[in-house]
Amino acid sequence: QVQLVESGGGSVQTGGSLRLSCAAYGYTYSTNYMGWFRQTPGKEREGVAFIVAYGSTTYYADSVKGRFTISQDNAKNTVYLQMNSLSPEDTGMYYCAAGYLAKPTMEAGSYRYWGQGTQVTVSS
């Protein structure tokens, strides 16, 4: 089993920055993709950014390209999401996710392990 623990959420004003962290515990070798989703009430969970475990390949939603950067520290089993130039549209609950995938996808159902979520609020 893999457990994911998130931190770094908070409230910022438009144009501000936050860095989210996701620490993985357990049998992390059973996953090859880690990343982030976000969700607001009444809206389907949206893939944000993903990275190949122990690799450098990254994937981003069009809405965050050029503003968000995903990275990882393999020694700490931790994935980060640096979020810059935040706007109110980025507000939501952000979830860390991990899974073993045959190919990259941002479909939530493809990810087996999930964190508890961390709230990000951006004021206009």
Side-chain angles (χ1 to χ4, degrees):
Q1 185 170 329
V2 176
Q3 291 183 311
L4 305 177
V5 181
E6 302 155 331
S7 62
S11 298
V12 298
Q13 294 184 341
T14 297
S17 298
L18 286 172
R19 190 177 77 155
L20 307 183
S21 299
C22 174
Y25 302 90
Y27 294 98
T28 57
Y29 63 84
S30 65
T31 67
N32 64 345
Y33 282 81
M34 295 186 68
W36 297 88
F37 290 80
R38 65 187 180 189
Q39 188 171 31
T40 57
K43 188 177 181 180
E44 191 166 306
R45 194 166 296 184
E46 173 191 21
V48 176
F50 302 89
I51 189 167
V52 179
Y54 300 99
S56 60
T57 304
T58 58
Y59 305 89
Y60 296 94
D62 289 341
S63 60
V64 306
K65 286 181 180 178
R67 300 188 299 117
F68 291 11
T69 302
I70 188 169
S71 61
Q72 63 188 359
D73 184 337
N74 291 328
K76 298 180 179 179
N77 291 321
T78 300
V79 173
Y80 305 94
L81 184 66
Q82 178 67 46
M83 305 185 294
N84 298 325
S85 301
L86 286 165
S87 68
E89 289 71 30
D90 296 313
T91 293
M93 185 71 74
Y94 282 68
Y95 297 90
C96 181
Y100 192 89
L101 284 64
K103 61 180 181 180
T105 179
M106 290 190 178
E107 295 182 358
S110 296
Y111 291 83
R112 178 177 180 180
Y113 304 103
W114 294 84
Q116 78 286 353
T118 184
Q119 180 68 37
V120 171
T121 302
V122 185
S123 301
S124 60

